[in-house]
């Protein structure tokens, strides 16, 4: 999609711009937005609104053709809701409706003149971001695996945003930022949506290598032998039942000062989670192809980081393998030794995410990180607790971690890619006791997402750490089944805010 910024003056106006479609807003209560008023010299738009054909309800639309006094072939009216200034929620609904119409419209270009500077508590950058992401999300298709691609609707291919001259520079930067984010999210979705027989650990490694070449990241891919040498007995125990070789991927983007400590992102990359010997029930098991969405999030974030040339040191680490049952698979009752030296009794082979992550979390100590954030589709219990709206956020409870948690929560709030903080207090730790090893890999019943986080916490004491459980937010089930690209927006906002603070 091609986006640009347009500003108007006395001579070149919204009314005389040559375009396939001009988009203006209508407020609930039959009022026109400023831009709608400006082009409505004939009164036709006011008449259409008065007729009740559009209510102004956020996201309602009405397409008019050949409006007198307007050069553009069409005028798309879109409802902005009843609040003035417009709320970001209503603006988002309006923008999604515009994107939806644009995806099917027979016009080759469109000019959007919504009040980008008139949305409550939002900057022009934020509203433009919302606009670009709405359009990109609406245009996203995953038909790589279909032999016959659905014919692509004609759709609007060139979109310009009409902004005040003073906002043009900020709007331009925001378009570039938002496109980088959209490209990152599309990669995260593609990887998530690919089937597990194609998106294997090797496939993820190949993708990372190709990205490293394109964006000049440092890259290292460790194979089984190297992981054995590192004594990653916990990670490797998960791969025992699979014929797919495990991969441990390290990507480095050193966009900051050489001496600055990096932010490290760690992704869970189980390309298929059958549960192993503790086999999952058959119904819905296909969705466990999404168990690599933490890894896909790290790769999507790196796609955006590369495109933005982010001025921050960021290291991405992905532990990826398949969790399968077989004669060589890990058994319930097996005891494994993690890279940290701590021993783990595997009481349930389906609690494999923490087994791969704990070794990755020990590995990253070598980077002396400023902060480590792991991203994992870790527990069904997190979906029970938070549903599909919020990512679960877990950290220790001290001043440094409260600061990190607040940064992540704020980044979620501003992008609409929200997280909710959960507790990890000492009391939950007792639930992980094992009679035979340093700890068990599952807790006693209750608080399953918290005991999982408490397990990880034991491997993160050398640095400031946060854990994002994305089991509920990384994909949608049902008829709209598909990866969401979350929490790439949250992470990118977090990283960009850190990059700005360094400057
Ligand atoms: N990948 C799953 C978690 C999951 C389940 C994500 C459902 C999304 C939807 C994870 O590896 C797992 O199986 N966790 C178990 C842990 C249990 C055995 C302690 C779970 O949540 O049931
Ligand atoms: Mn599992
Ligand atoms: Zn899993």
């Amino acid at each position: 999609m091609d986006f640009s910024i347009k500003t108007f003056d006395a001579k070149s106006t919204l009314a005389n711009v040559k375009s396939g479609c001009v988009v203006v807003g209508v407020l609930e209560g039959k009022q026109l937005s400023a831009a709608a008023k400006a082009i409505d010299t004939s009164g036709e738009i006011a008449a259409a609104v008065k007729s009740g054909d559009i209510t102004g309800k956020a996201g309602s639309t009405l397409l008019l053709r050949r409006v007198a006094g307007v050069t553009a072939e069409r005028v798309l009216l879109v409802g902005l809701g009843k609040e003035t200034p417009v709320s970001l929620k209503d603006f988002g609904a309006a923008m999604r409706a515009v994107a939806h119409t644009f995806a099917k419209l027979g016009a080759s270009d469109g000019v959007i003149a919504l009040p980008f500077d008139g949305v409550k508590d939002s900057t022009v950058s934020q509203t433009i971001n919302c606009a670009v992401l709405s359009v990109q999300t609406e245009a996203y298709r995953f038909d790589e695996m279909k032999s016959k691609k659905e014919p692509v609707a004609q759709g609007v291919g060139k979109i310009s945003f009409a902004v005040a001259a003073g906002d043009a520079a900020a709007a331009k930067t925001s378009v570039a930022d938002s496109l980088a984010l959209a490209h990152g999210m599309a990669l995260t979705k593609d990887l998530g949506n690919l089937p597990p027989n194609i998106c294997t650990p090797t496939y993820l490694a190949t993708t990372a290598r190709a990205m490293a070449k394109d964006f000049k990241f440092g890259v290292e891919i460790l194979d089984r032998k190297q992981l054995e040498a590192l004594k990653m007995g916990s990670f490797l125990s998960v791969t025992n039942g699979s014929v797919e070789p495990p991969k441990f991927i390290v990507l480095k983007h050193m966009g900051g000062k050489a001496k600055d400590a990096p932010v490290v992102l760690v992704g869970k990359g189980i390309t298929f989670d059958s549960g192993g010997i503790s086999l999952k029930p058959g119904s819905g098991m296909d969705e466990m192809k999404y168990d690599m969405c933490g890894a896909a999030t790290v790769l999507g974030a790196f796609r955006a980081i590369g495109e933005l040339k982010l001025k921050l040191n960021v290291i991405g680490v992905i532990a990826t393998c398949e969790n399968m049952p077989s004669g060589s698979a890990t058994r319930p009752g097996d005891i494994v030794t993690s890279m940290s030296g701590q021993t783990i009794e595997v009481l349930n082979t389906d609690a494999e995410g923490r087994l791969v992550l704990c070794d990755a979390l020990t590995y990253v100590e070598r980077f002396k990180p400023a902060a480590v954030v792991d991203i994992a589709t870790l527990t069904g219990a997190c979906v029970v607790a938070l549903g599909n709206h919020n990512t679960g956020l877990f950290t220790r409870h001290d001043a440094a971690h409260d600061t990190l948690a607040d940064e992540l929560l704020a980044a979620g709030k501003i992008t609409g890619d929200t997280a909710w903080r959960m507790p990890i207090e000492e009391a939950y730790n007792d639930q992980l006791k094992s009679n035979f090893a340093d700890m068990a890999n599952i807790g006693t019943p209750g608080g399953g997402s918290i005991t999982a986080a408490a397990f990880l916490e034991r491997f993160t004491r050398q640095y400031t750490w946060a854990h994002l459980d994305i089991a509920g937010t990384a994909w949608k089930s049902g008829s709209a089944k598909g990866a969401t690209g979350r929490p790439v927006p949250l992470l990118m906002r977090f990283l960009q805010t850190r990059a700005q603070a360094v400057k």
Side-chain angles (χ1 to χ4, degrees), residues 389-475:
H389 305 295
N390 283 296
T391 291
L393 165 65
F394 302 79
T395 73
R396 281 183 282 275
H397 298 276
D398 57 37
H401 285 87
D402 288 348
T403 305
L404 176 61
D406 287 345
E407 282 178 76
L408 291 163
L409 289 172
K413 208 160 192 184
I414 212 165
T415 53
D417 182 11
T418 51
W420 195 267
R421 193 169 180 191
M422 303 276 281
I424 329 182
E425 292 141 306
E426 195 46 42
Y428 295 95
N429 253 306
D430 299 342
Q431 290 182 241
L432 292 168
K433 267 192 192 143
S434 158
N435 285 357
F436 307 109
D438 295 344
M439 68 194 92
N441 79 325
I442 55 169
T444 52
S449 69
I450 306 174
T451 51
F455 179 99
L456 297 179
E457 191 276 330
R458 298 177 180 216
F459 299 85
T460 62
R461 303 227 169 121
Q462 306 299 320
Y463 45 72
T464 312
W465 157 82
H467 158 59
L468 295 174
D469 193 332
I470 58 168
T473 50
W475 78 91

Side-chain angles (χ1 to χ4, degrees), residues 206-327:
T206 308
T207 304
R209 238 191 248 290
M211 280 172 59
K213 202 165 165 225
D214 287 352
F215 295 104
K216 303 198 169 54
F217 299 139
V219 62
E220 210 180 335
I221 294 175
L222 310 183
D223 59 18
R224 189 190 298 275
K225 266 218 171 74
Q226 290 162 295
L227 302 175
E228 278 165 4
L230 284 164
K231 298 196 167 26
M232 290 199 187
S234 183
F235 175 25
L236 288 169
S237 76
V238 178
T239 76
N240 283 347
S242 171
V243 295
E244 287 293 339
K247 301 285 171 191
F248 192 89
I249 304 166
V250 183
L251 279 174
K252 284 188 191 170
H253 168 82
M254 297 314 238
K257 298 191 190 91
K259 63 165 184 27
D260 284 353
V263 174
V264 180
L265 305 178
V266 177
K268 169 180 172 182
I270 302 295
T271 58
F272 188 71
D273 180 14
S274 70
I277 296 296
S278 312
L279 195 65
K280 285 183 183 292
S283 147
M285 205 204 267
D286 66 289
E287 293 195 5
M288 282 300 120
K289 72 174 181 177
Y290 289 116
D291 212 17
M292 36 57 71
C293 281
T297 297
V298 173
L299 291 173
F302 265 76
R303 174 76 178 66
I305 288 166
E307 192 170 320
L308 286 171
K309 300 191 172 67
L310 191 73
K311 288 196 168 63
L312 191 73
N313 296 335
V314 190
I315 297 178
V317 170
I318 290 168
T320 174
C321 69
E322 219 182 27
N323 185 23
M324 296 294 263
S326 87

Side-chain angles (χ1 to χ4, degrees), residues 117-378:
D117 59 350
V119 179
K120 199 167 164 235
D121 298 330
S122 306
T123 61
V124 169
S125 301
Q126 281 159 12
T127 54
I128 294 281
N129 181 261
C130 169
V132 172
L133 287 183
S134 300
V135 172
Q136 294 292 102
T137 304
E138 198 60 48
Y140 177 83
R141 296 280 177 285
F142 184 78
D143 55 9
E144 252 175 273
M145 306 307 298
K146 303 225 181 190
S147 61
K148 291 193 188 72
K149 319 280 177 214
E150 265 177 50
V152 184
Q154 193 177 351
V156 174
K158 281 188 184 161
I159 294 174
S160 12
F161 300 118
V163 301
D167 291 329
K172 226 178 190 156
T173 313
S174 178
V175 167
D177 272 21
S178 313
L179 270 177
L181 175 58
H183 296 151
M185 287 174 78
L187 174 64
T188 301
K189 290 190 213 178
D190 282 348
L191 292 171
N193 289 332
L194 278 169
N197 58 330
I198 291 182
C199 187
T200 58
T202 305
Y203 186 95
L204 290 178
T206 308
T207 304
R209 238 191 248 290
M211 280 172 59
K213 202 165 165 225
D214 287 352
F215 295 104
K216 303 198 169 54
F217 299 139
V219 62
E220 210 180 335
I221 294 175
L222 310 183
D223 59 18
R224 189 190 298 275
K225 266 218 171 74
Q226 290 162 295
L227 302 175
E228 278 165 4
L230 284 164
K231 298 196 167 26
M232 290 199 187
S234 183
F235 175 25
L236 288 169
S237 76
V238 178
T239 76
N240 283 347
S242 171
V243 295
E244 287 293 339
K247 301 285 171 191
F248 192 89
I249 304 166
V250 183
L251 279 174
K252 284 188 191 170
H253 168 82
M254 297 314 238
K257 298 191 190 91
K259 63 165 184 27
D260 284 353
V263 174
V264 180
L265 305 178
V266 177
K268 169 180 172 182
I270 302 295
T271 58
F272 188 71
D273 180 14
S274 70
I277 296 296
S278 312
L279 195 65
K280 285 183 183 292
S283 147
M285 205 204 267
D286 66 289
E287 293 195 5
M288 282 300 120
K289 72 174 181 177
Y290 289 116
D291 212 17
M292 36 57 71
C293 281
T297 297
V298 173
L299 291 173
F302 265 76
R303 174 76 178 66
I305 288 166
E307 192 170 320
L308 286 171
K309 300 191 172 67
L310 191 73
K311 288 196 168 63
L312 191 73
N313 296 335
V314 190
I315 297 178
V317 170
I318 290 168
T320 174
C321 69
E322 219 182 27
N323 185 23
M324 296 294 263
S326 87
S328 58
T330 296
R331 295 155 283 257
D334 282 3
I335 292 178
V336 299
T337 304
S338 67
M339 185 179 177
S340 72
Q342 298 176 88
T343 60
I344 304 161
E345 185 183 15
V346 181
L347 289 179
N348 188 320
T349 64
D350 197 12
E352 85 298 337
R354 61 199 81 180
L355 295 176
V356 309
L357 285 173
C358 70
D359 281 344
L361 290 168
T362 300
Y363 180 87
V364 304
E365 283 173 8
R366 67 191 58 206
F367 302 125
K368 303 197 169 25
V372 176
V373 181
D374 79 69
I375 308 107
T377 48
L378 200 63

